[in-house]
Structure formats: structure tokens, C-alpha cells
């Protein structure tokens, strides 16, 4: 989602590269819970606890 809360269209390749990067950066995250990634700050937070 962008800052206005609208979905951002990305290609399948971009989504896969981003997902691989997230998994490498936070290998110990509990992936059974939803998370939010802030692309401005590169901070991963549990969903609902970010901005």
C-alpha cells in the first residue's frame, strides 16, 4: 500500500525478489503472524503495530 492506502501494482518478479529479501533479512521472524514492511525505513513490524 502507498501512503494514501492504495494498493501498489508490482510484477510477479518484483514481488518474488522482495519476498526473498525479506526472508533473508529477518530469518527469525515468526511468519505464522502477519507483518508490515515499511519501505521508507526498512522496518518490519507485526501487522497493526506499524504506522
Amino acid at each position: 500500500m502507498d501512503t494514501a492506502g492504495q494498493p501498489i501494482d508490482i510484477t510477479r518478479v518484483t514481488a518474488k525478489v522482495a519476498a526473498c529479501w525479506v526472508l533473508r533479512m529477518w530469518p527469525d521472524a515468526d511468519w505464522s503472524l502477519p507483518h508490515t514492511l515499511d519501505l521508507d525505513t526498512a522496518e518490519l513490524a507485526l501487522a497493526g503495530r506499524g504506522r
Side-chain angles (χ1 to χ4, degrees):
M1 304 285 221
D2 62 13
T3 56
Q6 299 300 314
I8 298 171
D9 291 329
I10 59 173
T11 67
R12 182 182 297 246
V13 172
T14 301
K16 187 169 183 170
V17 169
C20 288
W21 177 77
V22 168
L23 291 172
R24 279 194 310 268
M25 294 298 297
W26 292 280
D28 297 329
D30 181 357
W31 295 114
S32 65
L33 301 171
H35 290 77
T36 300
L37 176 63
D38 186 330
L39 294 175
D40 285 335
T41 63
E43 291 181 6
L44 186 71
L46 289 176
R49 294 188 184 179
R51 56 176 162 134

